[in-house]
């Protein structure tokens, strides 16, 4: 999602697959509009606790992408239990994290389409087409 809640990339996985392993692939597919040539990486990534894995943070740090991801309570407890060897907590900007509601509201608007919310389509290509069509109508034509 773009800063104003516009869909930038779509990636589908089986229902039991997690979102976190797909993050880098999705980042490779986006193009952030700037005015001239689009950038291939965002300046900041705001995500929920599901993306708080250390490997994700490392990969985003390697790409020079600032992260605003809340730390999960189990990770916080594990780091605290290690004492001074646990390291510092990751940087977190609560003011920037409030911007995540734009993304959640955008998903809510997209799920107002019954076919998207209930996933009636048998084939992934048809469901993806519905997502893309919904994104065009809901986000890009407003």
């Amino acid at each position: 999602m773009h800063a104003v809640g516009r869909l930038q990339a779509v990636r589908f996985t089986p229902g039991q697959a997690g979102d976190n392993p797909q993050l880098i692939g999705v980042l490779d597919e986006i193009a952030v509009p700037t005015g001239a040539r689009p950038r291939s990486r965002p300046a900041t990534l705001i995500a929920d606790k599901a993306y708080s894995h250390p490997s994700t943070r490392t990969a985003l740090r390697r790409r020079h992408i600032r992260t605003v991801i809340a730390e999960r309570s189990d990770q916080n407890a594990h780091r605290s239990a290690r004492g001074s060897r646990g390291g510092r907590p990751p940087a977190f900007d609560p003011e920037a994290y409030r911007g995540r509601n734009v993304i959640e509201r955008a998903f809510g608007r997209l799920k107002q389409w019954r076919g998207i919310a209930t996933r009636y389509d048998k084939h992934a290509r048809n469901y993806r087409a519905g997502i893309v069509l919904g994104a065009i109508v809901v986000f890009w034509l407003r």
Side-chain angles (χ1 to χ4, degrees), residues 76-102:
N76 189 2
H78 179 69
R79 186 178 37 75
S80 298
R82 294 191 63 196
S84 62
R85 291 185 327 245
R88 292 183 305 201
F92 179 70
D93 183 5
E95 193 66 33
Y97 192 69
R98 289 185 184 151
R100 201 175 133 259
N101 76 68
V102 173

Side-chain angles (χ1 to χ4, degrees), residues 13-141:
T13 60
Q16 71 276 12
D19 294 344
N20 190 18
Q22 301 301 318
L23 178 64
I24 301 302
V26 169
L27 287 175
D28 289 339
E29 293 176 8
I30 67 169
V32 180
T34 58
R37 195 180 80 173
R39 290 184 293 135
S40 60
R41 67 176 172 86
T44 304
L45 177 88
I46 302 173
D48 61 4
K49 293 180 181 185
Y51 296 93
S52 181
H53 195 270
S55 65
T56 303
R57 290 182 186 274
T58 303
L60 293 171
R61 196 175 308 116
R62 220 177 291 129
R63 291 172 175 243
H64 305 287
I65 298 174
R66 180 176 166 255
T67 60
V68 180
I69 304 173
E71 188 177 30
R72 291 192 337 236
S73 59
D74 64 328
Q75 291 173 341
N76 189 2
H78 179 69
R79 186 178 37 75
S80 298
R82 294 191 63 196
S84 62
R85 291 185 327 245
R88 292 183 305 201
F92 179 70
D93 183 5
E95 193 66 33
Y97 192 69
R98 289 185 184 151
R100 201 175 133 259
N101 76 68
V102 173
I103 299 163
E104 297 299 328
R105 286 194 331 254
F107 278 120
R109 278 196 311 269
L110 192 58
K111 287 184 177 182
Q112 287 179 355
W113 287 39
R114 184 178 63 178
I116 294 171
T118 56
R119 178 110 173 51
Y120 282 136
D121 293 313
K122 185 174 182 179
H123 299 288
R125 69 174 184 269
N126 296 345
Y127 187 64
R128 185 181 195 286
I131 294 280
V132 171
L133 180 63
I136 291 169
V137 171
V138 173
F139 305 129
W140 291 97
L141 294 180

